[in-house]
Amino acid sequence: MEKLFEGFPSLHPLVVHFPIVLLLLALLSQVVAVSYSRYRRELNIVTFVLLLLGTIGAFAAIQTASHISGDADEEAFAVFDTHQRYAWISFWLAGISTVVRFVALRWRKVIWTNYLIVILLISLSVTLFITGHHGARLVYQYGVGPKSNGVLIK
């Protein structure tokens, strides 16, 4: 698939942090919703909005990572592949969580869906941390980034 933002190598660092924050806030919102039944409905709606915006942002972040510049060796390519793989896993977990949260908003009396969403969001948070770790390795260990000279593309 052709990337949408191939000509803008410095766009990825600008875009990537926004969905990370939104998706982690969705976990926090959902945990509070499970803990406090008085505000559960409102917090479930907040969780849905955070998930929806975070999922859209995650897709944009993935699309902006098409041209990562830097002189890279084979190890950097392997780290980049892992980073990209976990980014897609995070995106799909976010999408699934968004759909489940939306459907569960219709099922007001079904409490177990709140716990399912917490489990999905914890899994999403783990994949986000793994993705971020590999992204940080690319920047700080291998010098890959918009300020470098080459292009990390096979």
Side-chain angles (χ1 to χ4, degrees), residues 119-132:
I119 292 169
L120 285 169
L121 291 178
I122 289 170
S123 302
L124 171 61
S125 298
V126 169
T127 61
L128 283 174
F129 286 124
I130 294 169
T131 305

Side-chain angles (χ1 to χ4, degrees), residues 15-108:
V15 174
V16 72
H17 297 97
F18 186 65
I20 292 170
V21 170
L22 291 174
L23 294 171
L24 293 176
L25 282 175
L27 172 61
L28 179 64
S29 173
Q30 189 61 42
V31 167
V32 174
V34 167
S35 301
Y36 296 102
S37 61
R38 181 176 182 194
Y39 302 107
R40 183 169 290 148
R41 176 82 176 143
E42 293 83 1
L43 287 168
N44 284 341
I45 292 170
V46 168
T47 301
F48 170 71
V49 171
L50 290 169
L51 279 169
L52 182 63
L53 294 174
T55 302
I56 293 167
F59 182 74
I62 290 170
Q63 291 303 311
T64 60
S66 61
H67 275 356
I68 297 180
S69 51
D71 296 324
D73 56 15
E74 284 301 315
E75 291 177 20
F77 283 110
V79 172
F80 179 73
D81 289 341
T82 303
H83 176 65
Q84 201 168 36
R85 185 177 324 110
Y86 276 98
W88 278 109
I89 292 169
S90 298
F91 168 74
W92 285 110
L93 275 173
I96 290 166
S97 300
T98 304
V99 170
V100 171
R101 176 73 278 160
F102 178 75
V103 171
L105 283 173
R106 303 285 190 205
W107 300 340
R108 294 181 189 168

